[in-house]
Amino acid sequence: MSNVINWNAKGVSQQPQLKGKDFLSLSDFHTDEILYLLEEAKELKSLQKQGKPHPYLSGKVLGMIFEKASTRTRVSFEVGMLQLGGHAIFLSPRDMQLGRGESVSDTAKVLSRYIDCIMIRTFAHSTVEELSEHATVPVINALTDLHHPAQVMADLLTIQEHKGKLAGLKMCYLGDGNNNVTHSLMEGAAKVGMHISIASPPGYLPNGKITEKAIESAKLTGSKITITHDPIEAINNADIVVTDVWTSMGLEAETEKRLKDLAAYQVNAEICQHAKEDYIFLHCLPAHRGEEVTAEIIDGPHSVVFDEAENRLHAQKAILKNLLK
């Protein structure tokens, strides 16, 4: 589908035409499309809080493929689909021929005959891309080793709620920079005009191609992307501080090495003294207290991690509504 943005006479963006589009990474979306989805998420959240029914997707069915386990992703997508009036089907590798050797392309073609949208949480990003290539219904990336766009939509919604804006704010990420959260944060920040500074040790820097693409987006919005080995430089005067687990799923054999390599990048009270006094702390969860973040921070007054977790529901409902309605 074309990404052309239409403008009305007052210069305000019209509703983007997102129906049928895939949601694979934030780099695939224009600034206006991301901001529109955030406004939709706020509206859907308001309706839900007021107890007002909003069955925009009555009769629609979402198929949810999970090759990686999840708490927030499964519950938020399933509940979100039900609140929108539709239905969700959980599909694990044990439940599918995909787990017994059926090709991704055949799976995509078959599921497209049965359901209205495919959500997948998996390892290789190439799996999502292949699914997208062969499916005739929208495909949503609920996490791959390279990208976590649905999570970052919830992060942007949370920042907007607590800071009142996005453009011009400084976000700092400390820890393993070569992971899906960092990559999607870079892409999201660049699209909405936020500055982002990432501090990681040698060997843990973000993916080069993703970084280059984010820098190109940043040129259009005035965003600044800084990548450094110095955590104090990165966190200095930050409005938002973010981290993630040091050992992601599939990397458990590297745990001991990662604990040693990343120790200087822990988010704790000492380093957070360099952020702004009113900074907020984000973490996609689950968290390992005492490793990437101390309990004092994640359970302290600056933490908004449970608002962030809740906003997975509202951000994903906006995505589902606009891809399917």
Side-chain angles (χ1 to χ4, degrees):
M1 178 173 290
S2 172
N3 277 342
V4 173
I5 298 296
N6 297 313
W7 297 84
N8 66 22
K10 296 182 179 179
V12 178
S13 178
Q14 302 280 357
Q15 176 178 341
Q17 298 300 308
L18 298 174
K19 184 177 179 182
K21 187 171 180 176
D22 294 327
F23 191 83
L24 306 189
S25 76
L26 294 182
S27 65
D28 299 330
F29 289 79
H30 283 292
T31 296
D32 289 64
E33 293 173 319
I34 292 172
L35 294 177
Y36 179 79
L37 286 173
L38 292 174
E39 290 303 312
E40 284 276 276
K42 291 177 193 174
E43 174 64 20
L44 291 167
K45 183 174 184 176
S46 176
L47 291 173
Q48 191 260 338
K49 295 296 184 184
Q50 295 175 65
K52 295 182 178 180
H54 41 285
Y56 293 107
L57 300 183
S58 179
K60 301 291 186 180
V61 179
L62 171 70
M64 306 188 302
I65 302 173
F66 281 88
E67 294 187 325
K68 278 189 174 184
S70 171
T71 299
R72 279 148 294 275
T73 299
R74 176 176 179 181
V75 176
S76 58
F77 267 106
E78 190 162 343
V79 170
M81 196 65 186
L82 293 174
Q83 289 181 357
L84 289 168
H87 185 71
I89 301 173
F90 175 78
L91 300 167
S92 77
R94 297 186 304 275
D95 303 320
M96 305 177 64
Q97 296 299 334
L98 184 62
R100 301 183 180 90
E102 183 168 33
S103 69
V104 173
S105 61
D106 284 358
T107 299
K109 292 170 185 176
V110 170
L111 289 180
S112 296
R113 302 291 182 103
Y114 298 146
I115 61 180
D116 302 286
C117 184
I118 302 169
M119 184 229 79
I120 182 168
R121 180 178 170 96
T122 187
F123 293 90
H125 193 70
S126 59
T127 300
V128 175
E129 292 176 325
E130 185 177 359
L131 195 65
S132 169
E133 180 183 354
H134 295 281
T136 56
V137 297
V139 174
I140 297 174
N141 173 13
L143 177 143
T144 65
D145 289 342
L146 278 184
H147 297 280
H148 202 350
Q151 174 64 55
V152 170
M153 287 299 293
D155 294 351
L156 294 177
L157 178 60
T158 307
I159 294 166
Q160 212 172 42
E161 288 178 340
H162 283 270
K163 292 296 183 181
K165 64 176 184 177
L166 293 171
L169 294 175
K170 178 182 177 180
M171 176 191 294
C172 163
Y173 178 93
L174 301 179
D176 180 8
N178 189 23
N179 77 357
N180 46 29
V181 169
T182 320
H183 295 152
S184 289
L185 283 173
M186 266 201 308
E187 293 176 327
K191 291 289 184 177
V192 300
M194 289 178 62
H195 309 305
I196 183 168
S197 55
I198 298 163
S200 304
Y204 293 85
L205 297 181
N207 177 282
K209 290 184 178 180
I210 294 172
T211 302
E212 289 175 7
K213 202 166 186 178
I215 289 172
E216 289 302 310
S217 295
K219 291 176 182 177
L220 301 176
T221 62
S223 172
K224 182 179 179 182
I225 297 174
T226 303
I227 299 175
T228 177
H229 297 312
D230 185 348
I232 294 178
E233 176 191 350
I235 201 172
N236 186 49
N237 213 33
D239 298 285
I240 306 107
V241 178
V242 193
T243 192
D244 192 10
V245 293
W246 289 345
T247 306
S248 299
M249 283 181 281
L251 299 175
E252 289 80 6
E254 302 176 12
T255 298
E256 187 175 343
K257 180 179 186 299
R258 286 172 167 270
L259 291 177
K260 180 180 178 181
D261 292 347
L262 291 158
Y265 298 83
Q266 182 187 71
V267 178
N268 52 44
E270 181 181 358
I271 199 164
C272 286
Q273 291 178 357
H274 298 278
K276 287 185 178 176
E277 288 187 10
D278 63 345
Y279 80 91
I280 58 173
F281 173 74
L282 299 177
H283 191 305
C284 64
L285 301 178
H288 296 162
R289 289 166 173 79
E291 291 185 13
E292 74 274 7
V293 61
T294 61
E296 180 181 12
I297 296 298
I298 195 170
D299 299 319
H302 294 278
S303 176
V304 295
V305 298
F306 296 108
D307 291 345
E308 177 188 10
E310 178 190 341
N311 281 336
R312 286 289 300 275
L313 171 65
H314 309 300
Q316 290 162 185
K317 283 168 67 176
I319 294 165
L320 288 164
K321 177 191 170 188
N322 281 276
L323 298 190
L324 295 177
K325 184 174 180 295

